[in-house]
Amino acid sequence: MPYANLTITVPEGVWISKLSRTYPDARFRVLAATANNAKGFARVEVIGTNAEDICEEIESYETVTGLTVFEDEPGRCRVQLETTVPVLLNAIQEAGIPLDMPVEIVNRELELETTVAQEKLSSLGETLDRFGISYTVNCIRQESDSQSLLTERQQWLLREAIEHGYYDTPRRITLVELAEEVDVAKSTCSGILHRAEGQVLKQFLEGDCEHQPDISIRAD
């Protein structure tokens, strides 16, 4: 299944968008949230030098219909609230994307990481577009299955090499000693490890998100 990393801009009509734009250095950590078509419920932690002022200001928004402050201390406060415009949460839920909490919003933006089936990923892009929610795809990569990446023999020998300290610095065992320990010829041991290492390194480099910033969410 593909792994995706997106930066989503919270719509302007949402209270947290307005507040995080007013206080760009503040961090809004959404600890728990749920929504239906009409209402959203969330527990949010506000972190920053203006945390107390921000918590007081939240209740002034018309879309926030209920607010309970659980913790209030300098630089941090935690609230539970009810809102009538859960646009972003509705969009993510409608696309069938599991949202791992907490998520953090800073200056109107949140980073979403998810590993889902391709059709779910395509649905997310279509749903965000339909809701008018701006987003940037930072990367999409195919998550590899270690069971299919390496043969059983390669996996076995790599585990043995790791357990015996072959990859430690400094090494606790030489290639000759490892081969003797696992009862494999030195040349065979070297060849198996070399091929396994090559597979792992190629997958690591090909799956590096920093080298794939322009991939868009597509069904095909």
Side-chain angles (χ1 to χ4, degrees):
M1 290 193 295
Y3 159 87
N5 180 294
L6 296 82
T7 298
I8 298 176
T9 301
V10 182
E12 291 188 5
V14 179
W15 67 269
I16 202 169
S17 174
K18 297 177 181 178
L19 269 178
S20 64
R21 183 174 53 189
T22 303
Y23 301 94
D25 296 326
R27 294 159 52 203
F28 296 80
R29 298 183 73 239
V30 183
L31 306 176
T34 186
N36 53 41
N37 291 331
K39 292 184 178 181
F41 305 87
R43 182 167 292 189
V44 180
E45 183 177 44
V46 183
I47 303 170
T49 54
N50 302 104
E52 292 175 282
D53 295 334
I54 293 171
C55 286
E56 289 181 7
E57 198 170 328
I58 291 174
E59 201 166 14
S60 68
Y61 288 88
E62 291 183 5
T63 55
V64 177
T65 53
L67 180 74
T68 302
V69 178
F70 285 96
E71 296 179 23
D72 188 0
E73 59 185 64
R76 182 188 302 266
C77 70
R78 186 174 294 186
V79 301
Q80 183 164 303
L81 57 90
E82 176 183 304
T83 178
T84 57
V85 189
V87 180
L88 180 57
L89 190 56
N90 275 337
I92 294 174
Q93 288 183 170
E94 185 174 317
I97 302 296
L99 190 59
D100 293 330
M101 299 294 182
V103 294
E104 191 164 287
I105 298 171
V106 178
N107 198 12
R108 297 184 60 207
E109 294 185 339
L110 69 88
E111 184 175 322
L112 175 65
E113 294 182 288
T114 185
T115 301
V116 293
Q118 181 64 54
E119 58 269 21
K120 291 287 187 183
L121 196 55
S122 299
S123 176
L124 174 62
E126 293 168 1
T127 304
L128 291 175
D129 288 338
R130 181 158 46 82
F131 275 79
I133 298 172
S134 300
Y135 63 93
T136 300
V137 180
N138 300 319
C139 97
I140 297 177
R141 68 164 182 255
Q142 190 67 32
E143 290 286 83
S144 62
D145 180 355
S146 62
Q147 300 299 315
S148 60
L149 180 64
L150 303 176
T151 66
E152 289 186 7
R153 189 167 175 79
Q154 288 172 336
Q155 292 179 52
W156 164 74
L157 189 53
L158 271 179
R159 290 194 190 99
E160 292 291 332
I162 292 170
E163 290 175 3
H164 286 85
Y166 181 70
Y167 292 106
D168 288 359
T169 303
R171 282 180 173 167
R172 293 190 285 113
I173 192 171
T174 66
L175 180 63
V176 173
E177 292 169 336
L178 177 62
E180 292 177 352
E181 187 70 29
V182 296
D183 195 23
V184 172
K186 176 189 172 184
S187 59
T188 302
C189 184
S190 175
I192 294 173
L193 287 178
H194 179 72
R195 287 189 292 274
E197 291 162 358
Q199 288 286 86
V200 172
L201 286 172
K202 287 176 183 176
Q203 178 62 36
F204 173 78
L205 291 175
E206 291 172 0
D208 187 350
C209 283
E210 293 181 1
H211 297 284
Q212 306 181 50
D214 299 322
I215 300 177
S216 56
I217 298 177
R218 300 183 56 182
D220 55 347

